Amino acid sequence: MSIVTVQLGQCGNQIGFEVFDALFRDSHCSQGLCSKRDNEAYQASCRERFFREEENGVPVARAVLVDMEPKVINQTLSKAAQSGRWNYGQHTSFCQKQGSGNNWAYGYSVHGPKHEESIMNLIQTEVEKCDSLSGFFIIMSMAGGTGSGLGAFVTQKLQDQYSSSLKMNQIIWPYGTGEVIVQNYNSILTLSHLYRSSDALLIHENDAVHKICAKRMNIKQISFRDLNRVLAHQLGSVFQPTYSEDSSFHYRRNPLGDLMEHLVPHPEFKMLGVRNIPQMSAASLAYSTFTWAGLLKHLRQMLISSAKMEEGINWQVRPPLSGLPPIGKASAHKEHHFNTSLANLVVLRGREVHSADVEGFKDPALYTSWLEPVDAFSVWKTQRAFDKYEKSAALVSNSQLLVKPLDMIVGKAWNMFSSKAFIHQYTKFGMEEEDFLDSFALLEQVVASYGSLGP
Amino acid sequence: MRRRRSRVEGAARALPEAVAALSRCLPAGPSPEIFRRAKFDRPEAAPVLWQLLLRVLSPLAANNTWTDLAPEAQACLVKSALGSQGYPRSVLLQFPDGSSQGSRELLLALSWLLARGPLLEQLLAQTRVQLGDQLPQWEAPTSPGPPAPFVEPKSPVDLRLVEWLMGRLRFRWRCLISSQQEQCILLSKIHLYTQGCHSQRSLGHLSVAETEMLRDPESGQQLLQALESENIRLEAALEWRRRELVFWQWMDTVLDTCSPETPAVTSQPTVLPAISEGGLGELESVKQELQALQEELREVSEPRRAAWEARVGGLGQGPEWSNSRKALQEAVQQELAALQGSWERSSTPGQPQRPHRLVRSKDGAPRPQGLQAAEVIRTLSAKEACLKKVLHQLQRQCQQELARLAGALPGLIWILPPEH
């Protein structure tokens, strides 16, 4: 079943390109380390989900590109066309001449209604070219104006028009020390609106991805392109084909549906984080070998200690023994806080994947008390290696990973709000202080809900 | 002498042949020997008959999930299903679940089901081999399947777990809808691409089963085998119909071998509501209160009605009123007719819906028989509107109940979920 991707804003479009490129390159990679038949099935599954056929045989991404400025869209389109391997469709993009000024209200209340029909028509055209629609990816950033405000608007319209289709928002969490002054306002407004109209929010933190680039990939001058590639790699490692539950002769038809059913059925818990292992530069990759035991041990500790990457993991953090408080340093530092999970999904790709032992993830101590590990944990596998990594593992987690960052953003936004800083820029486009208060209330509730997961 | 003997032998053969025909057309039909043993209440017949009854009573048993249940669970389901169908003999309920007693009672139950309604026809319709493409089931089943076995939770269940499970159900539902949409699109493609291939001009294009048959001869063989076994069952059903008199005569003898039931037992409901000690006294006082209220209501309403009549009585009689009155009467008649029409359409009699084959034809081509898609869509839209009204009414009731509860506890602040 197919997924239609809506790329919104500068961030969304740049990342969207890298995602499709990563998916395509991987599906045509010759180092799949699996049988020819397996490889062909993998390729076909990836193609059907993310691409469609055109007359000249070049696969076309199932995507709609939207931005309020023409520059990034044009760059994206030309990059895709130049590659010669895959392309965006003709007439799948929509742009205007003016931006959104990093103003959420401008994106939501002005651009949204004004361009609603054109954008929804584009999406409708793309949907009609799918034999079967599983759902939508909406790639957007939280901090700017177009991605955030227009993204929230478009997601709401998708909910109205395609109520039975699934929607996952890929949200770029800005740097803590970001450049946009009102990024916290934009963020809380985005998150609160998406919480109501989207099914799942898959969060990609710029800080985390940046660290991966610096420490693991050894990139000296980190550009947005590097960040985007790491992000695309993470997304690909989750959504590339995996074997279906019944047999390893067929690939899973609806990964988006399966993921959502297992991770976000509860309406209060929709925030997902993604981690994957190993991450390294291509140069180092040639000299490294991995064992499943080692990878899974690290991944588990990354989960428990809320680590952003596989380096600098805090091994002190342990699951709490029943009845006792979590072991760790006695200080109240949140770094030693044990991350209680609601539900986890582990995706394993590579050689000898059937010998991988995931028992460590089925420990009830990892999970909240009211959900059994048999319901809370699921694992997807394929022997086919991903992106030249002989073995790789990804984790999509619905847990307390994002409580701290969310709490920080809400706190900062609240500080600004209480002194009414910059509010007029929002209210002059039809927003009211009520909307801000509603957003704060909803997000506080989300923080409290996630907090209550722990013992 | 010989002729008489052969007539006797013929008569003796008639019963086993009748029973054999019956078991050939039942799904998972047991051997005639089982029937004979059941008459004599032999234990080995009981498990087979429990399974047979289960298979016959639950419309969903086609995928064999029910037969994996433990005997206790099977017996429980069969009992509740029989009860919901109105089976009058309560002797069967007394046997503990999973025991091998009561094969005679099971035989009686089976005969009751057979005699009561078009059971065989229903079963045969369920397992029809379909050559054409079918409309998805759009009639609500007239009788729900047997209720799922009730499992007592071992400890109090967290509300969040219930919400979690509801959410999973909702996602599955949405995925089902997406799959159905996919099925429609692909079906449409097949019909379009095979236009002109069918030997029957009136149909014009192939169905999925026919396309599959052409594509893969192996599946053609399987289809043939399925058709052949269905033929056997249909022939058995016809034979049964010819011979069934003998079977009913035999069943009379089976009934006679049972101990007579006390008549009171048959009319008693299986579960009596518990009435407390002071209950009867309370009932009396409630009755009196009700009567007093009715009196009060009458006293209050009569003068009001009289006053209203006095005000309005003069109106509505003059000539200018006759037109509007006629228009009103016509409008009411139309509404009633519409209601009656929708009632008749929506109420399904016991027999199964005649299945329709999905056929795509060019616009304007005359279609003498069969339903038009537009008509079906209209019916379904009307149904949808009806169901939506019912849903809104239920939702309003829930909201009123919530408001009432919220008002009843003044010290508490209720935060209701945001409107969707």
Side-chain angles (χ1 to χ4, degrees), chain A residues 131-133 163-166 199 253-254 260-262 264-266 370-371 452, chain B residues 158 160-161 163-164 167-168 171-172 174-175 177-179 181-182 185-186 189:
Chain A
D131 274 343
S132 67
L133 180 67
S163 47
S164 62
S165 303
L166 307 169
D199 298 309
R253 286 217 73 218
N254 190 0
M260 291 209 183
E261 188 196 328
H262 285 110
V264 288
H266 199 295
W370 49 269
L371 203 55
S452 74
Chain B
D158 197 313
R160 290 172 291 183
L161 178 61
E163 288 173 320
W164 178 270
R168 284 190 68 172
F171 273 126
R172 291 248 179 122
R174 284 162 78 180
C175 288
I177 294 183
S178 296
S179 299
Q181 286 171 339
E182 179 185 12
I185 293 177
L186 294 174
K189 275 192 176 171

Side-chain angles (χ1 to χ4, degrees), chain A residues 368-382:
Chain A
T368 188
S369 56
W370 49 269
L371 203 55
E372 303 283 317
V374 66
D375 292 321
F377 176 69
S378 35
V379 58
W380 295 354
K381 296 182 183 173
T382 176

Side-chain angles (χ1 to χ4, degrees), chain B residues 74-391:
Chain B
Q74 285 183 4
C76 189
L77 282 170
V78 169
K79 283 181 190 171
S80 57
L82 280 173
S84 64
Q85 300 254 11
Y87 184 58
R89 287 177 73 85
S90 56
V91 180
L92 195 57
L93 301 170
Q94 293 162 10
F95 295 120
D97 293 343
S99 77
S100 43
Q101 293 174 294
S103 55
R104 183 163 55 212
E105 285 298 321
L106 289 171
L107 182 60
L108 284 172
L110 179 67
S111 316
W112 182 80
L113 287 170
L114 272 172
R116 178 172 166 271
L119 180 70
L120 280 180
E121 283 75 9
Q122 282 173 339
L123 292 172
L124 287 169
Q126 272 171 23
T127 50
R128 249 177 88 112
V129 173
Q130 301 294 1
L131 277 180
D133 296 316
Q134 295 300 305
L135 283 176
Q137 177 84 11
W138 50 280
E139 287 290 344
T142 48
S143 63
F150 178 70
V151 176
E152 186 71 44
K154 298 176 205 66
S155 55
V157 174
D158 197 313
L159 180 63
R160 290 172 291 183
L161 178 61
V162 177
E163 288 173 320
W164 178 270
L165 293 171
M166 272 300 293
R168 284 190 68 172
L169 203 61
R170 274 192 218 109
F171 273 126
R172 291 248 179 122
W173 186 253
R174 284 162 78 180
C175 288
L176 180 67
I177 294 183
S178 296
S179 299
Q180 280 185 339
Q181 286 171 339
E182 179 185 12
Q183 188 191 28
C184 282
I185 293 177
L186 294 174
L187 213 58
S188 167
K189 275 192 176 171
I190 289 183
H191 290 185
L192 211 54
Y193 295 164
T194 60
Q195 198 63 251
C197 292
H198 205 283
S199 52
Q200 267 181 275
R201 284 302 173 84
S202 59
L203 290 175
H205 63 78
L206 301 177
S207 71
V208 173
E210 289 161 347
T211 313
E212 196 57 31
M213 226 177 9
L214 288 176
R215 205 173 67 94
D216 176 21
E218 182 60 41
S219 70
Q221 282 295 98
Q222 285 172 357
L223 195 60
L224 187 60
Q225 279 168 0
L227 281 170
E228 281 172 351
S229 56
E230 191 184 5
N231 263 350
I232 292 175
R233 286 182 64 198
L234 287 169
E235 281 172 0
L238 280 175
E239 199 182 325
W240 158 254
R241 283 287 168 226
R242 284 203 314 268
R243 296 175 187 271
E244 59 178 318
L245 188 55
V246 162
F247 178 82
W248 296 118
Q249 286 166 347
W250 179 68
M251 280 311 296
D252 278 337
T253 69
V254 174
L255 198 55
D256 290 338
T257 63
C258 288
S259 51
E261 279 227 322
T262 56
V265 172
T266 54
S267 57
Q268 207 179 38
T270 51
V271 174
L272 290 171
I275 301 183
S276 61
E277 279 288 304
L280 283 172
E282 279 182 28
L283 274 177
E284 270 304 311
S285 61
V286 165
K287 190 170 156 194
Q288 281 169 359
E289 262 182 70
L290 201 61
Q291 278 174 341
L293 269 173
Q294 269 181 329
E295 270 300 316
E296 227 182 288
L297 198 63
R298 203 152 16 108
E299 281 167 22
V300 170
S301 70
E302 268 180 2
R304 275 190 156 186
R305 198 189 290 266
W308 183 80
E309 295 232 321
R311 251 176 57 199
V312 164
L315 301 171
Q317 302 295 344
E320 69 272 12
W321 286 99
S322 63
N323 288 336
S324 49
R325 192 209 295 259
K326 223 184 286 179
L328 269 174
Q329 273 177 338
E330 271 175 26
V332 168
Q333 290 283 32
Q334 274 177 359
E335 283 261 10
L336 271 176
L339 266 176
Q340 208 155 10
S342 70
W343 176 264
E344 274 160 11
R345 265 198 302 265
S346 65
S347 69
T348 49
Q351 73 244 26
Q353 264 279 327
R354 217 177 98 246
H356 289 92
R357 176 177 174 142
L358 204 52
V359 171
R360 183 200 198 109
S361 63
K362 298 203 199 336
D363 275 336
R367 299 225 48 84
Q369 84 260 54
L371 292 174
Q372 299 275 3
E375 191 183 317
V376 174
I377 293 174
R378 259 200 306 274
T379 319
L380 288 173
S381 306
K383 255 209 192 142
E384 188 189 13
C386 261
L387 288 170
K388 271 201 180 143
K389 263 193 282 214
V390 173
L391 177 67

Side-chain angles (χ1 to χ4, degrees), chain A residues 111-131:
Chain A
H111 283 311
K114 190 162 149 199
H115 307 301
E116 177 184 344
E117 202 178 319
S118 317
I119 297 176
M120 296 311 287
N121 278 342
L122 277 185
I123 296 177
Q124 172 78 8
T125 315
E126 196 59 47
V127 165
E128 279 166 7
K129 297 185 178 152
C130 299
D131 274 343

